[in-house]
Amino acid sequence: MSRLGDAAARLDRPGGRTVLGVLASLWLTTKLRRPTLVRWREGAWIYRCRGATLPHPSIGAAVHPDEARDVLLYGYTPQPGDVVLDVGAGIGDTTLLFSELVGPTGRVVVRARRPDDVVRELGLEGIDLVKMNIEGAERVALRGLEETLPRIRHLCISCHDFVADRGGPDELRTQAFVVEFLAAHGFELTTRDEGADWVQSYVYGTRRP
């Protein structure tokens, strides 16, 4: 670990997090050349920048709001009044981002249920965006969406082939399945050749007109 990482680890505990938050805020503000606030609140590090608010349990592993927007909103940016299914919401960081975008007239759903069942129970007639990050369970989840797929306009799916490439279990290689499955259900698909390996493992789908 670098000296900077060692210092952050020593401060990332009760009594040191206020100082760590100030230092992280100054560092990110300088690096990004825009005001950025980082602070510890209710068990998570909260990042505020350019209208985005994202929590993360670790200050070292957090995805910056600008990076989250670039990755999650690459294929489609939710509009006020949109309906978003956040499948694999983690601690709620992406849920906050989507909530700000859809506004008070929109809806973000994060229930841990079979997607088709949730859509049916809530009476959702159309889904503007499905974001999915469930670490290798894409096959099961997409098959649990078959009833709803005709009503979905856009998808943003995090595959985890990059973890398998780093020595993880081969079952995490789902990108080929996701591409084939969505293409067969009428979606135009986009992947990325630039950026980190985890960014290149994302699949973006838009329903064909």
Side-chain angles (χ1 to χ4, degrees):
M1 183 182 291
S2 67
R3 291 183 179 179
L4 182 61
D6 287 335
R10 287 194 297 271
L11 290 171
D12 192 3
R13 62 192 64 191
R17 290 187 175 120
T18 299
V19 174
L20 182 55
V22 171
L23 294 175
S25 299
L26 292 172
W27 183 76
L28 283 173
T29 295
T30 302
K31 178 183 178 182
L32 301 170
R33 298 181 180 177
R34 61 177 63 98
T36 303
L37 176 64
V38 183
R39 64 174 178 167
W40 176 263
R41 182 177 179 184
E42 298 178 358
W45 286 101
I46 310 297
Y47 291 70
R48 297 182 187 273
C49 182
R50 293 183 63 184
T53 302
L54 297 174
H56 199 281
S58 169
I59 194 167
V63 176
H64 187 270
D66 282 354
E67 186 175 12
R69 286 176 178 269
D70 174 64
V71 174
L72 298 177
L73 310 183
Y74 181 80
Y76 177 72
T77 299
Q79 304 298 307
D82 274 1
V83 175
V84 176
L85 289 188
D86 193 355
V87 183
I91 64 169
D93 48 358
T94 57
T95 305
L96 287 176
L97 174 60
F98 292 138
S99 296
E100 291 176 358
L101 292 169
V102 303
T105 60
R107 195 167 193 175
V108 181
V109 184
V110 295
R111 297 185 183 185
R113 300 279 307 285
R114 185 174 180 267
D116 277 344
D117 294 340
V118 172
V119 171
R120 191 183 311 111
E121 290 169 11
L122 295 178
L124 301 177
E125 296 183 1
I127 311 296
D128 298 288
L129 174 66
V130 172
K131 167 259 171 180
M132 186 178 294
N133 186 344
I134 47 179
E135 302 186 9
E138 293 79 33
R139 293 182 179 86
V140 175
L142 285 176
R143 288 175 178 137
L145 263 175
E146 285 194 276
E147 180 182 315
T148 303
L149 279 171
R151 290 179 269 176
I152 296 174
R153 294 175 55 217
H154 304 277
L155 299 107
C156 169
I157 300 179
S158 171
C159 300
H160 286 70
D161 296 48
F162 69 95
V163 177
D165 292 340
R166 296 175 182 177
D170 212 45
E171 302 83 65
L172 293 177
R173 299 186 189 278
T174 62
Q175 192 173 36
F177 166 83
V178 169
V179 168
E180 182 179 353
F181 183 90
L182 294 180
H185 284 80
F187 287 89
E188 294 180 353
L189 304 174
T190 303
T191 56
R192 304 174 72 168
D193 296 326
E194 80 287 352
D197 53 1
W198 62 272
V199 173
Q200 296 182 41
S201 289
Y202 268 82
V203 176
Y204 306 90
T206 297
R207 179 158 294 286
R208 300 189 189 105

